[in-house]
Structure formats: C-alpha cells, structure tokens
C-alpha cells in the first residue's frame, strides 16, 4: 500500500514544518520529490535528509507570489524527472490582525500567497498532468475554513483563504475529473510547526487551544503528512473534491 514508485511529487513551502514532513514521507513511499520554498538553501537540507533515506529529490527556489518562479519550478521538475504526478500545495502564511486594523496590504499578501499561489501552482501542474491523464493535487487548507461550527478571531484574511481553498478544491475537482486528476484538501487543526510558535509561547493561549482539542495535544506534522500520502496515492483513487480534517477531534468537539 501507498507505493509511490515512479511518481514525481512537488511540495511547496517544503523547507520546514509540515512541508518538510510531506516531502520526507512521499519520498519514503518511493516518490521522487521536488522540495520548493523561498529559501533554496533550506530546501537543500530537506533534500539531504531524503537522500540519506536513500531516495531522490531536488531543491528548487519558488516564491508562490511569483508566477515566473512557479513556471520555473515545474520546468525544473520536468527537466530532472520528466513528469509530475503529485502537487502538494502547502506554502502558506498566517498573521493575526484584529479585523478593524487589518490593512489592505496585509489582506492582499494573504490572498496572494495562500489562495492565488495555490491556484497558480495547481493550474500549472495540472497542465502537465493532463498530458499523462493522471495526477493528484492536495491542497492544505485548515479547520479555519469556516462553515464548520468554530471561528477564529483576528484571522479574517487567513480564514478567507482557507475557506477559499476548500471551495476551490471542489470546483477544481470537477474541472479536472475528466483528465483523471484528483483534487482534495486537508484541513489540519493545531499542528506543532513554526507557524504556531506565537501560540506556544503564550501559556494562556496554549491552554485555551488545547482545551478545545479532544486529544488534548497539538498534532505532529507527520500526522498530517500521512493524510497527504493517502490522498496522493492510488489508495484514494475514488476520492476527489473532498476535505479531510486532521485535527485531534477539534471539529467533533
Ligand atoms: P510553516 O512551518 O510556517 O511552513 C510554511 C512554509 O511556507 C514556510 O517554509 C514558509 O516560508 C513557506 N512560505 C511562505 N510564503 C511563501 C511563498 N510566498 N512562497 C513559497 N513558500 C512560502 O507552517 P506550517 O504549519 O508547516 O504550514 C503549512 C501549511 O499548513 C500552511 O498552508 C498553513 O496555513 C497550513 N496549516 C497549518 C496549521 C498549523 O497549526 N501549523 C494548521 C492548519 C493549516 P517562510 O517561513 O520563509 O515564510
């Protein structure tokens, strides 16, 4: 099960946090992996880890704010590995800002990275996947996606992007189904990565957050990567347009 031999995977935002563990787990399952992020140097460290595991990977600089970077990432993938089977749209930012103080600049930046970046990467990758009539795109959303019975104050722009990702995932799944390209999303709860450092450093915020999670702990990045592996593999061959929550029971609570 979960054999990705002869498959090629691209992971955005792969230098640290969940992107790093997505890259490691996909490589462990046999995929050749393209680790991309703003810092190529840090991606190379992940590539070194993958090579130590005995698998193949390359590091590619890609700022998802820049369309030419995305194009270059796909071109470098094809040059080295000839195909692209899996895209994990993972690169993202978070920023806390009370709604009334949220600036247009911060709104635009959030939308451009977390939403437009996902669109541009998925469209560019899908244009290659179409040629081989197969592919899997996994979009990392969040339980902050809305319509799930919980809300997050101070995160209006972040929530807008994550809700946008789940809606976009459904629509993309319909457009790409005729080409046998599946598109799914994952909605993580609180996962222990550098992104949540500010919450971890605030004992009160941490206590309040853990109280809302039935498993009473933050998730480990690799616990989300297992879901990425499932949705990237043929074991999920009849799943498309879905959003899978990986949240320690938060939404059930
Ligand atoms: P992380 O450790 O901060 O990793 C995100 C990565 O994306 C970082 O390496 C970041 O680089 C990179 N990135 C930011 N802007 C980029 C851009 N324009 N182009 C390319 N890469 C860019 O956070 P994480 O927790 O692993 O987050 C991964 C994904 O999971 C995100 O989409 C996030 O919204 C989502 N998520 C996280 C949680 C959580 O609790 N951690 C929960 C739900 C969803 P820099 O560090 O240089 O900015």
């Amino acid at each position: 099960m979960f054999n990705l031999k002869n498959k090629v995977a691209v992971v955005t935002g792969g230098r640290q946090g969940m992107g790093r563990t997505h890259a490691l787990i996909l490589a462990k399952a046999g995929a050749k992996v393209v680790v991309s992020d703003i810092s190529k140097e840090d991606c190379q460290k992940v590539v070194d880890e993958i090579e130590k595991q005995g698998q193949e990977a390359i590091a590619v600089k890609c700022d998802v704010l820049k369309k030419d970077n995305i194009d270059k990432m796909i071109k470098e993938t094809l040059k080295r590995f000839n195909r692209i089977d899996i895209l994990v749209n993972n690169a993202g930012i978070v920023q806390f800002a009370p709604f009334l103080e949220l600036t247009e600049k911060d709104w635009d930046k959030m939308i451009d990275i977390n939403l437009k970046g996902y669109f541009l990467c998925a469209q560019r990758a899908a244009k290659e996947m179409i040629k081989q009539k197969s592919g899997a795109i996994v979009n990392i959303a969040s339980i902050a996606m809305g319509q799930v019975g919980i809300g997050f104050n101070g995160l209006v722009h972040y929530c807008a992007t994550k809700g946008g990702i789940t809606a976009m995932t459904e629509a993309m799944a319909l457009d790409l189904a005729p080409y046998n390209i599946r598109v799914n999303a994952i909605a993580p709860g609180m996962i222990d990565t550098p992104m949540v450092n500010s919450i971890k450093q605030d004992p009160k915020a941490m206590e309040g957050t853990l109280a809302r999670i039935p498993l009473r702990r933050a998730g480990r990045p690799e616990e989300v990567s297992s879901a990425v592996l499932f949705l990237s593999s043929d074991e999920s061959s009849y799943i498309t347009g879905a959003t899978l929550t990986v949240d320690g029971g938060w939404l059930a609570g």
Side-chain angles (χ1 to χ4, degrees):
M1 283 180 79
F2 308 122
N3 186 349
L4 299 182
K5 204 165 176 272
N6 300 323
K7 305 250 183 194
V8 176
V10 174
V11 180
T12 68
R15 80 175 176 97
Q16 63 170 22
M18 281 186 262
R20 174 183 159 270
T21 56
H22 301 334
L24 287 168
I25 206 167
L26 293 172
K28 214 167 193 172
K32 296 178 178 84
V33 179
V34 176
V35 186
S36 81
D37 206 308
I38 299 172
S39 158
K40 184 174 174 181
E41 219 174 48
D42 287 345
C43 291
Q44 187 56 48
K45 288 182 193 151
V46 180
V47 168
D48 293 345
E49 284 186 78
I50 290 173
E51 286 175 346
K52 260 192 213 139
Q53 285 182 175
Q55 284 99 28
E56 236 181 302
I58 57 167
V60 175
K61 177 185 161 55
C62 176
D63 180 342
V64 301
L65 276 172
K66 297 176 183 155
K67 203 173 174 213
D68 63 338
N69 277 208
I70 294 169
D71 198 43
K72 197 164 156 272
M73 171 179 73
I74 300 297
K75 281 189 177 144
E76 284 191 35
T77 303
L78 297 173
K79 190 170 164 209
R80 174 68 186 264
F81 298 125
N82 291 317
R83 56 188 290 126
I84 164 166
D85 301 280
I86 297 157
L87 168 71
V88 186
N89 254 332
N90 168 83
I93 57 166
V94 74
Q95 179 210 22
F96 289 91
F99 176 59
L100 295 176
E101 291 163 27
L102 180 58
T103 65
E104 186 178 352
K105 193 170 163 221
D106 286 342
W107 168 270
D108 285 345
K109 186 178 175 196
M110 184 69 71
I111 300 288
D112 283 350
I113 295 176
N114 286 18
L115 195 58
K116 188 176 168 189
Y118 276 40
F119 152 62
L120 290 174
C121 290
Q123 190 188 54
R124 186 63 186 82
K127 284 184 179 169
E128 299 306 323
M129 292 171 174
I130 278 170
K131 296 176 191 162
Q132 67 213 28
K133 275 213 163 249
S134 70
I137 296 172
V138 181
N139 294 323
I140 305 301
S142 165
I143 57 166
M145 62 191 162
Q147 303 284 309
V148 288
I150 57 169
F152 293 89
N153 52 325
L155 283 177
V156 167
H157 50 343
Y158 181 79
C159 292
T161 64
K162 294 304 182 179
I165 289 167
T166 55
M168 185 169 84
T169 296
E170 286 182 2
M172 272 169 52
L174 298 186
D175 278 10
L176 295 175
Y179 306 99
N180 192 32
I181 299 168
R182 298 181 299 104
V183 189
N184 291 292
I186 293 173
M190 188 197 188
I191 310 299
D192 191 358
T193 71
M195 189 174 269
V196 298
N197 277 350
S198 63
I199 302 174
K200 277 168 63 186
Q201 282 156 10
D202 177 346
K204 239 180 148 185
M206 192 63 188
E207 198 185 315
T209 305
L210 293 183
R212 299 167 79 180
I213 305 172
L215 288 182
R216 296 286 180 266
R217 64 173 177 87
R220 295 184 298 274
E222 55 273 21
E223 291 177 304
V224 178
S225 302
S226 327
V228 169
L229 173 61
F230 171 60
L231 292 173
S232 302
S233 72
D234 290 344
E235 274 64 38
S236 61
S237 53
Y238 201 54
I239 303 177
T240 194
T243 296
L244 176 60
T245 54
V246 181
D247 65 349
W250 193 331
L251 293 189

